[in-house]
Amino acid sequence: MARTPMEALAFDRLTDAHLDAWHKLRDVNPMLDSPYFHPGFAKAVHDSGRAVQVYVGRGETGEIESLFPVQREGALLRPVGWPGADFQGPILAPGAQYPIAGLLTGGVSALEFDHLLPLAGDFEEWTETTRPSPFVDTTGGLEGYLSRASKSGKDNMGQARRRANKAEREIGPIRFEADVVDDAALAEVIRLKRDQYAATGARDYFAEPDRERLLRSLLHTRGTEFAGILSTLYAGDQLLAAHFGIRSGAVLHWWFPVYDPSRAGLAPGWMLLRELVMAAPALGFTRIDLGRGDDEYKRRAKTGETLVGQGIVTRSNVRRAVRRARESLVAAAKASPLGPHLRRVVRRLRAAKR
């Protein structure tokens, strides 16, 4: 891999040569097709006020062989977009090794990750657990999806169609907007998401102002190579459900879905997902990544999944022991017969890592 020390650069110090190398490495590595690996995502995070630095690795002849965008907090590194990045890892060619030791220099004592794709085997010894990250193959739209979906997925899509008909009868005409630039609608997505966090005891992602700035910036980023995608579903004038995500090429990442809790009985989230699957061919999507999580709708809707790792790269045995103890407590809480009542405890334990 790199024969010279890695260089850490602020994102806004990257040159055209750095960005060209970034794009070329993505183009040759299919595992990097998620929008989280596009330089546009790192740029949006950096511009929102959350400083991003990029570790650049070079080969013996000086060619760029890897780039790893991260955020630094004191002596700790975390992947760009933390804690909202559902896929993480260095940008490098398939099968390439990654010089992890090159990260633990210049006062850096650890790199923590929680959604690491298996891009480089060098991270295996530092990965403590893995969890599934489901996806939906949308090739061929709804008909194609139904040919691949589980019985549960097919049943829920059928119920979504019937509930949409019911909503139309009882509330008003159904209107779906697949990709709309609407600041007021985005503000409503954020409000509903914050209400959901408060109701479930989850950590409020939007408690820090730069997170809202990030979404607003992404909303106004246009194009098919990288963009924010806001989708809304109305019955009459009432917003039933909405979703804000990001896209890169043929991949849409399902990021912030919300629905009107007063209409929960209609399962509007399924109605919205069905509309997006139907719209996928016109939008140019062949996959919707749902992100890591054990939500029931993800298990029912998925057509496949990939594993993402959680762990820490550090020379400190104490730090690793503390993490392992915390993960054991989380696992024990989830496995307990009292699990449903311990969800707040689990969320607090996980939040403590951030």
Side-chain angles (χ1 to χ4, degrees), residues 29 56 158 175 194 285 350:
N29 193 340
V56 181
R175 184 173 85 256
R194 298 193 75 176
F285 303 139
R350 285 185 174 157

Side-chain angles (χ1 to χ4, degrees), residues 289-304:
D289 284 324
L290 298 177
R292 194 193 79 192
D294 54 5
D295 308 75
E296 184 178 358
Y297 82 88
K298 293 183 181 182
R299 294 196 300 270
R300 292 176 182 273
K302 71 178 182 179
T303 59

Side-chain angles (χ1 to χ4, degrees), residues 15-34:
T15 65
D16 288 344
H18 290 111
L19 295 175
D20 287 345
W22 193 319
H23 287 294
K24 288 176 182 176
L25 288 170
R26 282 193 80 223
D27 288 345
V28 300
N29 193 340
M31 292 189 71
L32 297 171
D33 63 356
S34 167

Side-chain angles (χ1 to χ4, degrees), residues 131-354:
R131 298 191 181 101
S133 183
F135 63 83
V136 173
D137 184 342
T138 61
T139 306
L142 184 61
E143 183 178 352
Y145 168 77
L146 293 175
S147 71
R148 293 180 290 271
S150 66
K151 182 179 184 303
S152 179
K154 294 175 184 176
D155 289 347
N156 278 273
M157 286 297 184
Q159 291 172 15
R161 175 179 52 80
R162 291 188 290 275
R163 285 167 174 156
N165 292 337
K166 179 181 179 181
E168 195 151 35
R169 291 193 304 269
E170 298 181 354
I171 308 173
I174 292 294
R175 184 173 85 256
F176 171 65
E177 298 174 317
D179 181 10
V180 59
V181 179
D182 186 331
D183 290 286
L186 179 62
E188 183 66 3
V189 167
I190 294 172
R191 184 190 71 79
L192 286 169
K193 202 67 184 177
R194 298 193 75 176
D195 287 349
Q196 179 185 332
Y197 293 144
T200 61
R203 184 177 183 179
D204 185 353
Y205 175 81
F206 296 105
E208 299 181 45
D210 65 283
R211 310 276 170 72
E212 289 195 36
R213 290 197 295 271
L214 172 61
L215 265 63
R216 287 197 296 270
S217 171
L218 291 170
L219 176 66
H220 291 275
T221 301
R222 302 282 80 203
T224 57
E225 283 310 303
F226 181 77
I229 299 290
L230 175 61
S231 303
T232 56
L233 180 69
Y234 290 87
D237 294 328
Q238 182 175 355
L239 181 68
L240 295 182
H243 166 257
F244 183 79
I246 46 178
R247 78 167 298 174
S248 180
V251 179
L252 169 66
H253 196 92
W254 184 259
W255 204 10
F256 294 105
V258 297
Y259 63 88
D260 180 350
S262 72
R263 298 294 181 178
L266 290 171
W270 273 100
M271 293 163 58
L272 178 66
L273 182 58
R274 181 176 182 272
E275 293 285 351
L276 270 172
V277 171
M278 286 195 294
L283 293 171
F285 303 139
T286 58
R287 191 178 84 235
I288 300 176
D289 284 324
L290 298 177
R292 194 193 79 192
D294 54 5
D295 308 75
E296 184 178 358
Y297 82 88
K298 293 183 181 182
R299 294 196 300 270
R300 292 176 182 273
K302 71 178 182 179
T303 59
E305 63 186 30
T306 188
L307 293 177
V308 292
Q310 302 79 48
I312 188 167
V313 178
T314 180
R315 296 189 180 98
S316 170
N317 292 329
V318 173
R319 189 189 287 266
R320 295 192 74 181
V322 169
R323 274 189 56 92
R324 284 194 297 269
R326 186 183 292 119
E327 287 297 324
S328 295
L329 286 172
V330 169
K334 291 183 69 176
S336 167
L338 299 176
H341 304 288
L342 295 174
R343 286 176 182 165
R344 289 177 183 267
V345 175
V346 170
R347 292 189 181 102
R348 288 187 187 119
L349 287 167
R350 285 185 174 157
K353 297 186 294 183
R354 297 172 180 172

